[in-house]
């Protein structure tokens, strides 16, 4: 469905409109310099890469948490993603001093922060699919596997209502659509040793694909929304068996429930993961004593060694499949810095392919499949627009210092489970080669503030935090 043949969503709060439009119009003038755009902010010009020339929203709640930590003020002004991770997050939760900001609160604040910028990006994560997180427990959500209508009516529609408020028409709204969902339908289903009953169910009932399609179609109808679909990371989809099928599934989802590939601005890799951006000391084509790097234990036949090479190749594949040729990639560099004293400064020894790769790699995980609160990880590249060909931006979508999952069972009202991958004493499963989990101890449930992890990320930042 194209942008024009749907009735634009209108928000219920006309009272906000008059005052907010003043600021919006002022921005529109400097953006476009046309009278017609000023009269109708919905005609704001779409751009290829929304990050170019734009300031990006700093979440005051994350910023306050960061600034309250020793040394944290050095990064507290960095933009991070705002997560809509349950229905209650839309309006904000809690009372009085403990109240959290809802989506409109964040957008109102974004309009304020936008003052003085020609362009301004607001980054929001859409994360509440039915049967969420089907291969893990740490981010299980509030909706059951068959709650597609609830997802559409009570989650996506209210979000669309807010995002389409004319008061926000001059913001460039970047959405990150449903982390991990479509990748799970590739690797954790059917006869794979990693299959789970819930992933099989979500594949069979089609509700991940339909939910993503509906989100793309509905949010994609809003002129100033730029949808980026989650594409896992190289240590998940970089194998030949996963890469092509994942791209096809993304294309299927982008044609489901009224969506079309033109609703997609791009894809995002490495969200909330730890995969290195660029491994400088070995490449996929290197051969050591006759053995290709692909056959090392670490790479294990993967086609890629890092996020940059994976992202650029995936972009090409997706364009070939029928996505617009100007789609761009985002890479979440919030926690893939792997700095600190142990960071290799050159290649490993050529004594064996494993010595070569293990001695040279930045990524210090025990296994590429480890994903929870990784010990030794550091902040990665600071957010920046258009850093490389095909890459729209490096972004910090996972707010550094927010846990990936509890290291033990902790009762909560968010639907979050306990995943052993977050327990540092756990010896692993088929998804991480039966390795130790590598996670930090004493972690709170996912999304909650985890000071010890924040300190670790700061200490191991690369580039370092000065
Ligand atoms: C959690 C979300 C949280 C997000 C950002 C996810 O793992 O499930 O609740 O908002 O991380 O920290």
């Amino acid at each position: 469905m194209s942008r024009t043949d749907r009735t634009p969503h209108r928000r219920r709060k006309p009272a906000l409109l008059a005052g907010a439009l003043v600021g919006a119009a002022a921005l529109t003038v400097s953006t476009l310099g046309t009278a017609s755009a000023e009269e109708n902010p919905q005609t704001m010009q779409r751009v290829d890469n929304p990050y170019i020339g734009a300031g990006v929203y700093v979440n005051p709640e994350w910023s306050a948490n960061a600034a309250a930590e020793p040394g944290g003020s050095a990064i507290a002004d960095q933009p991070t993603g705002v997560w809509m991770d349950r229905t209650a997050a839309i309006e904000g939760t809690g009372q009085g001093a403990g109240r959290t900001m809802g989506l409109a609160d964040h957008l109102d604040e974004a309009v304020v922060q936008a003052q003085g910028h020609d362009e301004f990006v607001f980054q929001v994560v859409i994360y509440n699919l039915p049967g969420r997180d089907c291969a893990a427990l740490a981010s299980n959500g509030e909706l059951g596997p068959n709650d597609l209508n609830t997802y559409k009516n009570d989650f996506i529609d209210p979000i669309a209502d807010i995002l389409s408020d004319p008061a926000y028409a001059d913001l460039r709204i970047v959405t990150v659509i449903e982390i991990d969902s479509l990748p799970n339908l590739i690797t954790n289903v059917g006869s794979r040793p990693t299959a789970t009953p819930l992933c099989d169910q979500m594949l069979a009932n089609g509700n991940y694909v339909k939910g993503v399609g509906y989100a793309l179609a509905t949010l994609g109808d809003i002129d100033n929304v730029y949808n980026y679909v989650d594409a896992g990371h190289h240590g998940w989809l970089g194998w030949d068996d996963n890469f092509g099928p994942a791209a096809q599934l993304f294309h299927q989802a982008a044609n489901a429930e009224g969506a079309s590939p033109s609703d997609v601005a791009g894809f995002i890799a490495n969200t909330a993961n730890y995969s290195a951006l660029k491994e400088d000391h070995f490449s996929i084509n290197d051969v050591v004593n006759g053995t290709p790097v692909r056959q090392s234990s670490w790479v294990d036949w993967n086609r890629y060694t890092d996020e940059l090479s994976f992202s650029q190749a995936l972009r090409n594949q997706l364009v070939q499949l029928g996505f617009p040729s100007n789609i761009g990639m985002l890479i979440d560099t919030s926690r893939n810095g792997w700095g600190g004293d142990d960071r290799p400064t050159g290649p490993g020894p050529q004594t064996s392919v494993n010595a070569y790769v293990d001695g040279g790699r930045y990524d210090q995980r025990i296994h590429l499949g480890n994903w929870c609160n990784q010990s030794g990880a550091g902040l990665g590249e600071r957010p920046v627009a258009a850093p490389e060909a095909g890459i729209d931006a490096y972004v910090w979508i996972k707010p550094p210092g927010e846990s990936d999952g509890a290291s033990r069972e902790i009762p909560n009202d968010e639907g979050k489970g306990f995943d052993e991958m977050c327990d540092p004493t756990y010896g692993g499963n088929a998804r991480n080669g039966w390795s130790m989990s590598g996670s930090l101890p004493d972690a709170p449930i996912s999304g909650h503030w985890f000071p010890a992890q924040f300190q670790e990320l700061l200490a191991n930042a690369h580039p370092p935090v000065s």
Side-chain angles (χ1 to χ4, degrees):
M1 189 169 291
S2 80
R3 282 175 201 293
T4 44
D5 54 9
R6 252 169 208 263
T7 317
H9 294 267
R10 289 278 171 249
R11 200 167 154 229
R12 316 132 286 182
K13 271 163 70 187
L16 261 183
L17 222 63
L21 266 178
V22 174
L27 259 187
T28 306
V29 173
S30 65
T31 306
L32 297 172
T34 65
S36 63
E38 193 178 342
E39 282 154 17
N40 179 7
Q42 291 296 330
T43 60
M44 181 193 193
Q45 192 189 344
R46 282 187 71 81
V47 292
D48 182 4
N49 178 355
Y51 287 87
I52 289 190
V56 188
Y57 179 63
V58 176
N59 180 345
E61 294 181 329
W62 174 81
S63 183
N65 284 335
E69 295 293 334
S73 54
I75 57 154
D77 62 348
Q78 291 295 338
T80 53
V82 170
W83 288 61
M84 292 294 112
D85 64 343
R86 53 192 181 281
T87 303
I90 301 172
E91 293 298 329
T93 58
Q95 302 289 331
R99 204 187 109 75
T100 63
M101 294 166 78
L103 181 56
D105 299 320
H106 282 292
L107 285 157
D108 290 343
E109 170 66 15
V111 169
V112 173
Q113 289 186 19
Q115 286 165 18
H117 293 270
D118 285 346
E119 305 295 343
F120 203 73
V121 167
F122 175 77
Q123 308 176 117
V124 59
V125 180
I126 307 298
Y127 189 52
N128 197 28
L129 275 179
R132 191 178 76 190
D133 208 15
C134 66
L137 305 172
S139 283
N140 282 166
E142 63 188 358
L143 299 184
N146 296 315
D147 291 342
L148 181 65
N149 285 336
T150 312
Y151 178 75
K152 292 179 174 180
N153 302 333
D154 297 354
F155 187 68
I156 296 298
D157 288 354
I159 288 175
D161 263 0
I162 294 172
L163 297 186
S164 59
D165 187 325
Y168 311 133
D170 284 323
L171 301 172
R172 294 173 175 174
I173 298 172
V174 164
T175 65
V176 169
I177 305 289
E178 296 295 354
I179 317 305
D180 297 350
S181 58
L182 300 175
N184 269 323
L185 298 187
I186 299 296
T187 59
N188 295 318
V189 294
S191 60
R192 304 266 187 141
T194 51
T196 71
L198 185 56
C199 290
D200 278 333
Q201 186 180 357
M202 299 320 297
L203 180 63
N205 70 15
N207 284 347
Y208 279 2
V209 168
K210 290 179 202 161
V212 168
Y214 188 79
L216 289 173
T218 309
L219 304 175
D221 272 350
I222 304 168
D223 285 335
N224 56 324
V225 164
Y226 295 80
N227 288 317
Y228 290 81
V229 181
D230 185 67
H233 61 107
H234 92 278
W236 189 345
L237 299 180
W239 283 270
D240 292 349
D241 288 352
N242 304 340
F243 189 81
Q248 276 167 8
L249 184 65
F250 299 159
H251 195 250
Q252 186 192 333
N255 286 285
E257 302 290 295
S260 87
S262 65
D263 288 317
V264 175
F267 291 78
I268 177 163
N270 202 44
T271 307
N273 207 277
Y274 297 87
S275 286
L277 180 63
K278 216 171 173 177
E279 291 286 8
D280 295 318
H281 304 315
F282 64 99
S283 89
I284 201 70
N285 296 318
D286 292 351
V287 177
V288 177
N289 295 334
T291 311
V293 151
R294 279 189 77 207
Q295 293 183 38
S296 65
S297 304
W298 175 252
V299 177
D300 192 23
W301 295 99
N302 199 312
R303 189 67 68 182
Y304 305 94
T305 56
D306 54 30
E307 291 308 296
L308 184 57
S309 59
F310 167 76
S311 298
Q312 290 174 326
L314 184 65
R315 202 192 83 79
N316 290 338
Q317 177 91 358
L318 291 162
V319 170
Q320 271 175 33
L321 277 180
F323 281 99
S325 59
N326 67 345
I327 56 169
M329 299 294 302
L330 304 178
I331 301 179
D332 186 349
T333 57
S334 56
R335 308 185 302 179
N336 68 350
W338 297 107
D341 293 345
D342 296 336
R343 182 179 171 90
T345 54
Q350 303 245 350
T351 44
S352 71
V353 77
N354 283 337
Y356 176 72
V357 169
D358 291 340
R361 64 178 158 97
Y362 299 138
D363 187 338
Q364 292 298 306
R365 277 178 293 183
I366 298 167
H367 189 278
L368 203 47
N370 286 348
W371 54 266
C372 195
N373 299 325
Q374 288 300 285
S375 167
L379 304 164
E381 291 288 333
R382 307 304 106 86
V384 60
E388 298 273 355
I391 313 296
D392 281 355
Y394 296 153
V395 289
W396 283 9
I397 294 303
K398 176 76 186 183
E402 292 185 12
S403 174
D404 296 315
S407 44
R408 60 183 174 83
E409 191 93 52
I410 298 178
N412 65 85
D413 60 3
E414 298 177 27
K416 309 274 176 64
F418 162 58
D419 195 295
E420 289 180 298
M421 288 295 286
C422 303
D423 172 358
T425 66
Y426 178 56
N429 56 42
R431 256 174 247 115
N432 78 336
W434 289 273
S435 315
M436 297 303 285
S437 71
S439 58
L440 295 169
D442 304 321
I445 66 167
S446 63
H448 288 219
W449 191 247
F450 186 12
Q453 188 191 32
F454 185 85
Q455 286 305 330
E456 177 122 347
L457 291 168
L458 210 51
N460 294 326
H462 191 91
V465 171
S466 48

